[in-house]
Amino acid sequence: EHNESWPRGRTNHYWFDLNRDWLLAIHPESRGKLNWLHEWYPNVVVDAHEMGTNSNYFFDPMKPSASVKPLIPKENVDLYPIFAKYYVKYMDSIGSFYYTKESFDETYPGYGSTYSDLQGGLALLFEQASSRGHVQETNYGKMTFGFTIRNQFLNSIATVEAAVDNKVLLRDYQKRFFESSLSEFKNEKIKAYEFGDTHDKNRTQAFIDKLLIHKIKVYKKGDKFVVPVNQAQSRMVKNFFETNDKYLDSVFYDASAWSVSNFYNMKHKPLRSFDINKVTVIDEKQVVSNPKISKSSYAYILDWDDYNTPAALNHLHKNGVISYSAYKPFSIKVKNNNQVRSFNYGTVMVPVSKQKVDSEKLFEIVKSTQDKFNIPVFGTETGYSSSGIDLGSNYFRINKKVNVAMLIGDGVSSYEAGEVWHLLDTRVHIPLTKIRLNQFNRTSLDKYTTIVMVSGSYNQISESGIKKIKDWVGKGNTLITIGSASSWAIKKEIVKESLVEVKKDTIFSRKRYVDAREYSGRERIGGSILKADLDLTHPLAFGYRDQSIPVYKNNNVFINKSKSHYSSVALYSKDPHIDGYVSKNNLENNVKGSASLIVSGAGSGRVVLFADNPNFRGTWYGTNKLFLNAIFFGANISVP
C-alpha cells in the first residue's frame, strides 16, 4: 500500500526488521534460517528488496565497505562483476534503468546480503523501486506492480544462470574461503578470547548460545570460557570480539559497531597462547548450574546480579509473594553450603513469616521460580549479617507490583517499541499495555505504575496531554523515556533538565556541493558503542559490579548531567569510544561530559531518561538490566 498504517508491514510479530537479525539471531525466524544455511552453505544467496519509489533498480557491486580491514575477502568482491554482466544483459534487453556502486554497503555483517559472504558464499542484493500498490506516479512516470515483479524475476533467473555457468568457480572459492579462515589468522598475536561472568551465568549462557548458533567453537576453561581465533569461523570470531575506530567512510547504511561481546557486556581478555589440550569443547547443552534451594523457615535470597532475576521477581509478584530488595550490600550465612556469602545491591529477600501463604506453599513457589528461571536462590535461617545490613534493616525496601504501559502509534519508532515489547513479553513475562497516541486523551493512566516512551516525535500529544503526563508522574509514578523521547520530555518541561547545546562548525568555508550529503552525514551517529561510568549504588545500576559499561548510541541525543548531585546514573567516560564511527566533533563537544542515563524528580514521581537505547534489536543483554531496574525499582527511587 502507498501509506500503510503504523507499524507498517515489513516487520515480524514483535516489530523487528529481520533483515538486521542475521548476526544477532534473536528471533526463531532468523535461527531457522541460520540453522538451514549452516547445514547447506549455499554458494549464492539473493536478498531481494524494495526501496523508494523515485529510484530505479540496484544490483551489486555495492558501495565499498567502510572497514579498513574488511573480513570479507577481496576475492568475494571480485565475483560481483561476473554476476553483474548477466543482470546488465537482462535489464538492457527490456529497457530497465539501474545503478550500482553508489549506495548500500557491506560494513555491517548482519544483513541477508552480507551474512553469506562470511560463510564462503556470494550474497547478492537487489533493490527494486517499489510501486507500493498496483500503480503509482513517480518521477519516472507510472510505476506498476507488474513492472517491479518483472525486474526482480528476470534478475533472479539471471542469478541462476550465472551460478550454473560459474559453479566450479563458486565451489572452489568456498573451499578456499574456509581454508583461508584457518590459515589467514593462524599467526596473529591474539590466539583466543577468554570470557565469562561468574556473577551472571544466564547472561554468559545467552552469549555462548549466540556463539554456537554461528557454529563458533567454544571451550570451557575452569569457570571461564575460551574462543580460539584459529577455527573455521575465525571471521565470525572477529565480528564478536574485535572493535574498530578507523574507517574509510563516515556514512553508513546501518550500524558501524557490532562487537557482540559488548552487546552482552561480556568482559573478555585476549590470550596470546592457547592450548587446546587443556580445555573442553562445549555444545548446546545448558552450561548454567545453580545449587537447588532447600526449605528455609526464615528467608530466601535471590541474587539480583543474574540476568533472569527480574523475570523471577515478576513471577513471585504473580504468585502473591511479598519481597524486599537490598539497597546496600551484605554478607550472611546461607543454607546451601552453610557458609557466609556476599550479596550485591538489589538482592531480593523473601521473608517467610511475612507471607500470606504458609512456609510449605512458599517453598513450592520459590522452588518453582528457581526451576523456571535457573537462577541462584539461597535460604538462610538468620537475619543477622556478618557484614553489611541485616535482613530487618530499613535499607531493605518492599518491592511493589508493577503495571507497565507504552505509548505507540504514528510518529513513534516501531522498532524501539517492538524491542520493549519483546523484552517484557518473552524474557520477563510482564503484560504490556500498548496505548495508541490517538486514544491517549481518553485513556485513564491511573492503574499504571510505569509508562515507557521510546524514540519518537509525539506531536500528537496536546498541551492537555502533556499536563496529563505531568500530573500522573507527580502522583508518584515512573516515566521511562528513550532517545528522542528524552529530548521531548526535556523540551516540554516535564523535567527540569537540559540538553547539550550541540556545537557545530561555524567557521565559514566554501565546500564542494557534491560533498554536501557526505559532510552532513558525518555528524549522524548511526550506531556506535560508547563507554559509560555507572554509579553502582544507584537503584538503576543494581545488579552491576563493574563501574564501566558499554552502551549503544544510535541517535544524536545529548543530555547534560542532572542538576541533582545524585541523579546522573551513567556518564560517558573521559575516553568514551569503544567501537564504531563517531565524528571528532561529536566525541569531543557533545559526548564527553554528558549523561547516558539520568533520573529526574517530578512531584512525588520521577522520569528516567535514557540518552541511548538499552534494548537495541533485542540483543543488548548488557544494558537491559538498567531498563528493567527502572521498572522494578522506580517506585522506590527518590530524587534528592
Side-chain angles (χ1 to χ4, degrees), residues 199 301-307 309-310 313 324-331 341-349 387-389 393 395-397 399 534-547 569 625 629 633:
H199 296 290
I301 300 172
L302 286 68
D303 194 335
W304 193 254
D305 287 353
D306 194 277
Y307 184 86
T309 307
L313 176 57
Y324 299 76
S325 286
Y327 280 60
K328 280 191 175 182
F330 64 97
S331 298
R341 191 181 190 280
S342 297
F343 292 94
N344 196 13
Y345 290 95
T347 298
V348 177
M349 187 266 293
S387 65
I389 57 174
S393 167
Y395 283 101
F396 272 99
R397 297 176 189 170
N399 292 314
L534 286 176
D535 172 7
L536 295 176
T537 71
H538 197 285
L540 292 181
F542 283 1
Y544 290 88
R545 299 221 172 213
D546 193 326
Q547 185 178 345
V569 184
K625 183 71 71 72
N629 284 345
F633 299 140

Side-chain angles (χ1 to χ4, degrees), residues 391-579:
L391 299 195
S393 167
N394 288 333
Y395 283 101
F396 272 99
R397 297 176 189 170
I398 193 163
N399 292 314
K400 300 172 184 176
K401 193 170 182 179
V402 296
N403 198 351
V404 187
M406 177 171 62
L407 303 188
I408 63 169
D410 287 333
V412 176
S413 168
S414 59
Y415 291 160
E416 286 191 19
E419 290 158 6
V420 172
W421 179 23
H422 178 267
L423 173 67
L424 298 186
D425 199 40
T426 66
R427 296 185 197 155
V428 192
H429 311 292
I430 292 180
L432 175 67
T433 301
K434 296 183 281 294
I435 302 172
R436 287 189 176 270
L437 289 175
N438 59 11
Q439 299 173 328
F440 179 72
N441 287 338
R442 59 180 183 270
T443 301
S444 172
L445 305 180
D446 291 343
K447 66 180 178 181
Y448 302 108
T449 62
T450 310
I451 292 178
V452 179
M453 296 176 69
V454 300
S455 291
S457 60
Y458 295 98
N459 293 330
Q460 294 186 49
I461 301 181
S462 62
E463 289 299 318
S464 62
I466 293 170
K467 183 179 183 302
K468 181 177 180 177
I469 293 173
K470 284 183 178 179
D471 291 345
W472 173 83
V473 173
K475 292 175 183 176
N477 296 304
T478 303
L479 175 66
I480 303 172
T481 59
I482 297 174
S484 59
S486 296
S487 297
W488 179 87
I490 292 170
K491 291 174 182 177
K492 298 301 180 183
E493 298 182 347
I494 292 174
V495 291
K496 295 178 180 178
E497 304 294 345
S498 63
L499 297 167
V500 173
E501 188 175 337
V502 176
K503 296 179 177 63
K504 298 180 179 178
D505 184 2
T506 57
I507 301 173
F508 174 80
S509 63
R510 190 181 76 170
K511 295 180 173 66
R512 298 197 320 155
Y513 180 83
V514 73
D515 298 329
R517 184 171 174 268
E518 178 83 12
Y519 187 81
S520 61
R522 268 177 220 166
E523 299 306 314
R524 185 178 66 87
I525 301 180
S528 300
I529 301 173
L530 304 174
K531 187 188 300 180
D533 294 331
L534 286 176
D535 172 7
L536 295 176
T537 71
H538 197 285
L540 292 181
F542 283 1
Y544 290 88
R545 299 221 172 213
D546 193 326
Q547 185 178 345
S548 177
I549 183 174
V551 296
Y552 190 79
K553 190 157 201 69
N554 61 339
N555 59 44
N556 282 63
V557 175
F558 307 105
I559 303 174
N560 282 316
K561 287 182 275 191
S562 177
K563 295 173 183 177
S564 165
H565 295 295
Y566 308 99
S567 296
S568 296
V569 184
L571 300 175
Y572 299 115
S573 65
K574 291 180 181 178
D575 184 17
H577 182 270
I578 294 177
D579 193 15

Side-chain angles (χ1 to χ4, degrees), residues 347-366:
T347 298
V348 177
M349 187 266 293
V350 178
V352 175
S353 62
K354 294 188 178 184
Q355 305 299 326
K356 297 176 182 178
V357 296
D358 61 33
S359 61
E360 198 63 45
K361 178 62 177 175
L362 178 65
F363 174 62
E364 289 178 14
I365 295 171
V366 173

Side-chain angles (χ1 to χ4, degrees), residues 93-119:
S93 71
I94 59 171
S96 282
F97 282 79
Y98 51 85
Y99 72 98
T100 63
K101 301 179 287 292
E102 291 178 25
S103 55
F104 311 104
D105 62 68
E106 288 193 310
T107 309
Y108 172 61
Y111 309 121
S113 59
T114 307
Y115 186 83
S116 292
D117 289 331
L118 290 159
Q119 303 300 328

Side-chain angles (χ1 to χ4, degrees), residues 15 25 44 75 122 206 239 269 387 396 414 421-422 431 518 583 599:
W15 306 334
V44 180
E75 190 176 355
L122 180 67
N239 276 319
K269 68 176 183 179
S387 65
F396 272 99
S414 59
W421 179 23
H422 178 267
E518 178 83 12
S583 73
V599 57

Side-chain angles (χ1 to χ4, degrees), residues 9 55 65 93 126 134 243 257 262 267 389 467 504 508 533 609 628:
S55 299
S65 171
S93 71
F126 296 160
H134 289 291
T243 59
N262 282 301
K267 301 292 190 286
I389 57 174
K467 183 179 183 302
K504 298 180 179 178
F508 174 80
D533 294 331
L609 301 106
L628 295 174

Side-chain angles (χ1 to χ4, degrees), residues 57 80 128 262 284 382 391 408 520 587 600:
Y57 191 91
Y80 290 115
Q128 166 63 51
N262 282 301
E284 295 183 53
T382 179
L391 299 195
I408 63 169
S520 61
L587 205 60
S600 188

